[in-house]
Amino acid sequence: DISRLDGHVRFETSDGYALSGDHFDVRMSSPEISASETIVGKTPAGSVTAGSMHIAKPRNNGSIRLVFTNGVKVLYNPKIGKE
């Protein structure tokens, strides 16, 4: 049920979000992705770097949650993408 993705892995969305790192664990039966090593994320409004992260959707059908840990660095520029 869990697939390990190794090498330079990159997830991208059609609306300008991207997440990359060297190792990800992806649960195939639910929207859940974990990384225990450094990840880099890019958004239309900035970027994030973290030592680890976990993305999951709660079973009660709540919104997907992104949790970044271990030396999180966020660069936020609200003007990017509004022009």
Side-chain angles (χ1 to χ4, degrees):
D1 186 33
I2 296 178
S3 295
R4 173 91 173 174
L5 306 177
D6 290 318
H8 183 75
V9 181
R10 184 172 172 91
F11 297 94
E12 294 184 24
T13 67
S14 60
D15 53 352
Y17 293 82
L19 186 65
S20 61
D22 288 332
H23 307 284
F24 288 91
D25 292 317
V26 179
R27 182 174 302 276
M28 303 308 282
S29 61
S30 65
E32 188 173 346
I33 302 171
S34 295
S36 58
E37 297 182 18
T38 302
I39 61 92
V40 176
K42 303 281 185 187
T43 76
S47 63
V48 62
T49 303
S52 59
M53 62 119 241
H54 184 80
I55 300 172
K57 184 172 183 178
R59 291 188 178 152
N60 66 0
N61 291 324
S63 298
I64 291 178
R65 293 184 180 200
L66 289 80
V67 178
F68 299 101
T69 56
N70 297 328
V72 179
K73 182 178 179 181
V74 176
L75 177 60
Y76 176 65
N77 185 346
K79 293 182 181 182
I80 294 176
K82 290 188 176 183
E83 297 175 6

